[in-house]
Amino acid sequence: ELRAQAREALQGNWVMAAVAALIYSAIVSATSYLPLVGTLLVGLPVAYGFTILMFSVIKGAKDIDLGILFEGFKDYSRIMGTVVLVFIYTFLWSLLLIIPGIIKHYSYAMTPYILKEEPEMKNNAAIEKSMVMMDGNKMKLFMLDLSFIGWAILCLFTFGIGFFVLQPYVQVSHAAFYEDLKAQQGGININVEVTVENCPEGPLGGSTKKAQDCPGKFAKSLDKQLPGGGYYIGGKRPYDTVWGCKKRL
């Protein structure tokens, strides 16, 4: 069980994990004084850092390094650009109704872990890979979150203090979910058609091409991101177009 894995990983680190959650919550609360600017410039990178800090726990870190909370600022343009896109896409889908926004939230949920493990991947490529990983798995993660409702109710009787313990518990469980999902899938094959807009070699018009037919001269190799090689291609409507496509060998 993923929650059992999370509890085992947190053994000996519950106190420091709670301290990390307290610092994270304090920073997020402070950004509320500048709602949009504070959230985009500070809140989102710190949220990424908290996620990655808890990811390090499931990866076997013996001690919790609070400095990881600010890891989002080390590769700021890549992390910031991607998490802002996730924020914008989720917000736009939420305008349709709450349910589409929730679905997209779970579709994009693996993006922080992908950014951490694949440092050359960014923006829509990372988001698209998360969407592929979560295809058919969104309900599983939703049910995992739902299983924490009882704990959340209990935290209310601690005047909110319990949430500083619950936050790491949930995040480490999410990290365990990612590791389990990655192990199950073993590698992601993407072979879809995309609409190419332009490239450094010149515009290709609105013609549709298979990803493996894209000219290598303009394509950016994704060998490290997608096993077997691939191309980084641009397309119209980035919220529903594949950007990182694997070349199927």
Side-chain angles (χ1 to χ4, degrees):
E1 186 190 23
L2 297 176
R3 294 193 305 173
Q5 292 179 34
R7 291 193 299 270
E8 182 179 355
L10 281 164
Q11 284 185 4
N13 279 316
W14 283 103
V15 174
M16 288 305 298
V19 170
L22 175 61
I23 295 172
Y24 163 62
S25 300
I27 293 173
V28 170
S29 297
T31 61
S32 64
Y33 291 100
L34 294 171
L36 184 59
V37 176
T39 298
L40 292 178
L41 297 183
V42 179
L44 291 180
V46 173
Y48 167 83
F50 183 68
T51 299
I52 298 309
L53 178 57
M54 296 302 109
F55 185 37
S56 70
V57 174
I58 204 67
K59 297 288 278 186
K62 294 181 179 179
D63 299 310
I64 289 183
D65 179 5
L66 294 178
I68 297 177
L69 273 174
F70 307 100
E71 188 165 311
F73 296 99
K74 293 181 180 179
D75 192 2
Y76 192 72
S77 61
R78 183 177 73 95
I79 302 302
M80 179 69 173
T82 307
V83 297
V84 167
L85 280 177
V86 169
F87 176 82
I88 292 173
Y89 293 164
T90 305
F91 173 74
L92 291 177
W93 278 103
S94 297
L95 293 179
L96 298 178
L97 280 175
I98 294 178
I99 292 179
I102 293 174
I103 292 173
K104 286 302 177 180
H105 165 74
Y106 284 101
S107 291
Y108 307 148
M110 301 297 104
T111 304
Y113 309 114
I114 294 168
L115 288 174
K116 174 60 180 177
E117 293 208 305
E118 305 183 42
E120 292 184 8
M121 188 170 277
K122 61 181 179 180
N123 300 337
N124 288 286
I127 295 170
E128 185 62 39
K129 184 169 182 179
S130 175
M131 291 174 67
V132 173
M133 290 185 73
M134 291 301 291
D135 185 25
N137 293 296
K138 292 183 284 291
M139 181 57 70
K140 295 178 184 178
L141 185 56
F142 175 74
M143 294 304 295
L144 175 63
D145 285 342
L146 208 59
S147 70
F148 289 103
I149 285 184
W151 290 102
I153 293 174
L154 288 176
C155 288
L156 295 175
F157 294 98
T158 66
F159 302 100
I161 297 175
F163 284 107
F164 298 128
V165 175
L166 182 60
Q167 276 184 303
Y169 187 16
V170 172
Q171 286 297 331
V172 176
S173 296
H174 282 189
F177 180 90
Y178 169 76
E179 288 291 289
D180 184 65
L181 195 61
K182 188 173 62 172
Q184 289 179 28
Q185 296 181 348
I188 300 171
N189 291 320
I190 308 172
N191 189 18
V192 297
E193 292 192 352
V194 296
T195 301
V196 177
E197 285 186 329
N198 52 58
C199 65
E201 294 294 316
L204 298 178
S207 61
T208 299
K209 285 180 171 289
K210 291 274 187 184
Q212 55 263 43
D213 292 333
C214 295
K217 288 185 179 180
F218 90 88
K220 178 181 178 182
S221 172
L222 284 181
D223 290 345
K224 294 184 178 179
Q225 283 69 40
L226 299 174
Y231 302 110
Y232 183 80
I233 53 182
K236 295 179 180 178
R237 299 189 300 168
Y239 52 82
D240 64 1
T241 301
V242 171
W243 287 61
C245 294
K246 177 181 177 180
K247 181 178 180 182
R248 192 184 295 279
L249 301 177

